[in-house]
Amino acid sequence: MRGLGDRQQFAATVAKGLGAGINHIETAAAYGESETYLGPLLKSFNRGEINLTSKVCPTENPEQFIQGLDRSLQRLQVDYLACFAIHGINTPQHWQWVQQLWPVIDKAQQQGKFKHLGFSTHGSLPLVQEVIASGKFAFVNLHYYWFNQHLAPAIASAHQRDMGIFIISPADKGGQLYTPPRTLQNLCHPFTPLGLTYRFLLSDSRITTLSIGPAIPEELDQPLSLGDRLEPLSEQEQAILENLRHHQHQALGTAACHQCYQCLPCPEEINIPEILRLRNLAVAFDMENFGQYRYQMLENAGHWFPGRKGDRCTDCGDCLPRCPHNLAIPDLLRDTHQRLRGKSRRRLWQD
Ligand code: SF4
Ligand code: SF4
């Protein structure tokens, strides 16, 4: 999902992961050449030992959708997937489309094309909760990290239904933690921000696996060193995470956004809570680069990163009485825009 690099680097990364005991690979039809590169590589490994997940974006047309699954199987050179996911149930319209897909999905499962059905999502909490509550899925793949716990209720719901829970790219989407700012490094000492993020997730027994998304073999080192550390957080780890919370509270003062989402909807479709989350991280932990990376995707990545930027605010005031913390939302949006605006960027892939 983060760009494949050259084929040799891709092969080296896969070989290192599988050689070290990783037994789950997740890809998607939309991840460039990923499936095509993986196909021949998987042949040299014992298929029974690798759980393969791939994903296909929802479409309005059932035929087109199932042809997408067939093409994934061909590219991967396999006759079935352990896990097949609908890639990005991000909007109510996607969920509506999926209602038309059930007959072809059920048939493909009966034909043995996949064992378990799941979905990935960048959607709102109510939408994710609705899809989970449908009872149609065996697993979900979502964004949940120490630095972004908005979907915590969805983790609880999925766990109640005994669903598999996959976390999308904790290192990159969880805060660009391969290259953390000095302030954050110091606050996490003697651990690393990435190591703490992995431990936060691995120690949560509800979470099934982490889709770590390494681009180069070296990015496997830290997850491999922590992969079996499933025990509860130590007192020291808990103390450092508590200190991060305290530091954030001190640094933001009364301008902290508490991520309650009560300010929405905004008539200008500004993604207020996400923009102010990025501000929280930039102000408290100097995570400006991560903030810019995410902020610049607004208005450029469609339903993968919905909503508009802070400079669209017209000062209409609609959101103000809804904020339980009385935040000066328009001022904070303008401040964030100044901090995080920059050259617009697109995703590496589009649906
Ligand atoms: S004041 Fe700005 S952010 Fe708030 S609802 Fe109006 S346009 Fe949206
Ligand atoms: S209502 Fe206020 S505290 Fe809650 S998400 Fe919106 S801006 Fe943040």
Side-chain angles (χ1 to χ4, degrees):
M1 73 182 79
R2 294 175 53 224
L4 296 176
D6 64 39
R7 197 163 186 153
Q8 216 176 352
Q9 181 176 285
F10 180 92
T13 308
V14 172
K16 178 168 173 170
L18 295 181
I22 284 178
N23 65 352
H24 173 236
I25 294 188
E26 182 188 331
T27 181
Y31 291 166
E33 297 296 315
S34 170
E35 290 180 330
T36 308
Y37 287 4
L38 267 176
L41 292 177
L42 295 177
K43 284 201 170 311
S44 53
F45 288 89
N46 181 350
R47 182 63 222 282
E49 292 171 3
I50 301 169
N51 296 296
L52 192 56
T53 296
S54 195
K55 313 189 285 291
V56 171
C57 293
T59 56
E60 204 171 356
N61 179 323
E63 277 301 300
Q64 203 182 331
F65 177 75
I66 222 63
Q67 283 166 7
L69 168 60
D70 290 338
R71 280 196 296 273
S72 282
L73 292 172
Q74 281 163 15
R75 283 191 292 265
L76 288 162
Q77 303 182 27
V78 296
D79 51 12
Y80 77 95
L81 296 168
C83 301
F84 172 54
I86 301 177
H87 192 175
I89 301 183
N90 296 339
T91 66
Q93 186 187 46
H94 291 148
W95 185 220
Q96 225 173 14
W97 289 350
V98 173
Q99 308 314 312
Q100 313 305 317
L101 301 178
W102 292 126
V104 292
I105 290 173
D106 290 344
K107 188 173 166 198
Q109 192 166 23
Q110 283 156 17
Q111 289 171 333
K113 292 182 181 177
F114 65 89
K115 290 187 176 172
H116 308 290
L117 178 69
F119 72 101
S120 71
T121 182
H122 294 218
S124 69
L125 177 59
L127 178 67
V128 178
Q129 292 284 51
E130 185 182 333
V131 179
I132 289 172
S134 72
K136 291 281 199 179
F137 296 97
F139 67 97
V140 59
N141 195 321
L142 41 68
H143 291 255
Y144 173 73
Y145 321 102
W146 191 85
F147 290 109
N148 186 2
Q149 298 179 40
H150 176 59
L151 290 186
I155 297 279
S157 310
H159 176 64
Q160 270 173 6
R161 291 186 168 271
D162 197 25
M163 290 171 67
I165 301 175
F166 302 3
I167 303 299
I168 302 170
S169 181
D172 188 55
K173 308 298 183 295
Q176 260 189 348
L177 300 175
Y178 289 123
T179 51
R182 176 63 57 194
T183 305
L184 187 60
Q185 289 180 45
N186 292 342
L187 285 164
C188 293
H189 185 77
F191 306 112
T192 63
L194 181 55
L196 267 183
T197 290
Y198 283 137
R199 280 285 296 134
F200 169 74
L201 296 168
L202 289 167
S203 64
D204 186 337
S205 59
R206 301 169 304 172
I207 290 169
T208 314
T209 195
L210 314 183
S211 293
I212 52 183
I216 52 174
E218 292 70 32
E219 289 180 354
L220 283 162
D221 291 341
Q222 196 149 27
L224 284 173
S225 72
L226 293 171
D228 293 325
R229 297 272 317 280
L230 308 181
E231 74 275 10
L233 290 171
S234 67
E235 278 182 22
Q236 190 181 18
E237 288 167 331
Q238 287 180 44
I240 290 175
L241 290 177
E242 188 48 44
N243 187 43
L244 283 181
R245 247 175 242 117
H246 179 71
H247 176 85
Q248 176 164 279
H249 180 73
Q250 293 291 109
L252 289 161
T254 53
C257 171
H258 295 258
Q259 296 290 286
C260 66
Y261 277 62
Q262 291 181 40
C263 45
L264 296 180
C266 160
E268 301 302 323
E269 296 180 3
I270 297 168
N271 194 338
I272 304 169
E274 180 62 7
I275 291 173
L276 297 190
R277 180 180 79 88
L278 299 176
R279 183 182 184 279
N280 283 355
L281 299 180
V283 171
F285 304 120
D286 291 343
M287 292 169 72
E288 304 265 348
N289 288 344
F290 174 68
Q292 286 175 10
Y293 156 48
R294 301 309 278 172
Y295 187 76
Q296 289 163 30
M297 282 172 58
L298 289 167
E299 303 182 28
N300 284 295
H303 53 77
W304 296 102
F305 205 70
R308 299 170 83 204
K309 293 183 179 177
D311 63 334
R312 305 285 185 177
C313 178
T314 60
D315 285 292
C316 74
D318 282 10
C319 56
L320 296 174
R322 292 195 290 260
C323 177
H325 299 277
N326 296 319
L327 295 189
I329 293 173
D331 293 343
L332 293 174
L333 290 175
R334 279 187 280 272
D335 173 69
T336 314
H337 188 75
Q338 289 303 320
R339 289 171 187 271
L340 304 182
R341 73 174 173 186
K343 228 172 119 235
S344 294
R345 58 181 286 162
R346 280 186 174 273
R347 299 182 65 87
L348 293 169
W349 49 274
Q350 300 288 327
D351 61 326

